[in-house]
Amino acid sequence: MKRRNLVLAGAVGTAAAVAGIGAAWWRLRPEELPLPSGFWQTRFEKPEGGELVLANYRGKPLVLNFWATWCPPCVKEMPDLDTFAKEHATQGWRVLGLAVDNPKAVREFLARAPVGYTIGLAGFEGSDLARQLGNGQGGGQAGLPFTVAFDRNGAVTHRKSGATTLEELRGWAKKA
C-alpha cells in the first residue's frame, strides 16, 4: 500500500512539474500565440470623446493594459504605467489602457484620478480581446489587470496577467 501511494505521489509530482514547465515555456515564448484577426483595425471610443484606433499605434513599441475601475491591482499599477509612458515617450513607446468596465464608471474614475496615457472604452467585450491575446493561456487564470507589450513590428514581446511594476516595464523596454 505504501509503495502504491509513493508511486502515485511521484506521478502527481511529475505531472505538476511538466505543467509548470509548460506554463513557463509559454510565458517565455509570447510570440507563439497569433494576434486576433483584424486586431490592428480595432477601434474604441475614448472617455473624453473621439476614437482610439489601434492602427495608429502600429509601428511603435506599445504597452496595452486591460484594466477596470473595480480592480484594486489595476488601479494600483496605473501610476507606474503613467510614469513609464512619460519616461519612454521619447523612445517611441506608447501606453494604451483598455477599460473593461462601464463607460460611465470609467469617466467618473478618470475625473478623480486622471492619467496621461490614452484610455479606450473596451467595455465588458474587452475581456474577449484580452483572452484572444493570451489572458488565461499557459495555465494562468484570466483576469485583470492583463498587459501585453508589442515591438515596433507589431509582434508581442511580453504578456502578463496581474499587476506590472515600473521596474518590470522598464525591463521590457530595454529588451525591445
Side-chain angles (χ1 to χ4, degrees):
M1 183 74 155
K2 285 183 181 180
R3 181 178 167 99
R4 186 172 145 195
N5 287 343
L6 208 64
V7 169
L8 182 60
V12 169
T14 301
V18 168
I21 290 167
W25 177 81
W26 181 86
R27 288 176 183 225
L28 293 174
R29 301 190 52 107
E31 72 283 355
E32 292 298 313
L33 187 68
L35 291 179
S37 176
F39 172 75
W40 291 107
Q41 287 71 44
T42 308
R43 298 169 178 265
F44 301 96
E45 180 185 346
K46 294 194 311 192
E48 68 275 13
E51 194 173 50
L52 184 161
V53 181
L54 287 183
N56 294 341
Y57 296 88
R58 194 168 193 178
K60 301 172 179 80
L62 173 67
V63 171
L64 182 62
N65 176 258
F66 293 83
W67 69 284
T69 61
W70 45 263
C71 166
C74 300
V75 173
K76 183 180 180 202
E77 76 178 350
M78 290 178 89
D80 283 352
L81 288 161
D82 205 27
T83 298
F84 176 83
K86 290 172 188 165
E87 284 180 357
H88 291 80
T90 58
Q91 290 129 20
W93 280 91
R94 299 295 178 259
V95 175
L96 299 178
L98 291 182
V100 181
D101 206 334
N102 175 298
K104 182 180 181 217
V106 173
R107 288 183 181 102
E108 290 172 356
F109 175 86
L110 292 173
R112 293 187 314 273
V115 293
Y117 57 92
T118 303
I119 300 290
L121 300 172
F124 296 109
E125 295 79 28
S127 295
D128 293 334
L129 180 58
R131 268 194 239 32
Q132 291 172 13
L133 288 170
N135 194 0
Q137 300 289 324
Q141 188 146 4
L144 294 175
F146 176 66
T147 306
V148 183
F150 299 86
D151 66 15
R152 292 180 191 283
N153 298 318
V156 173
T157 59
H158 296 87
R159 283 189 181 88
K160 177 157 186 201
S161 292
T164 59
T165 65
L166 182 56
E167 296 311 313
E168 184 172 35
L169 293 166
R170 287 173 175 158
W172 291 1
K174 285 180 184 175
K175 293 178 184 175

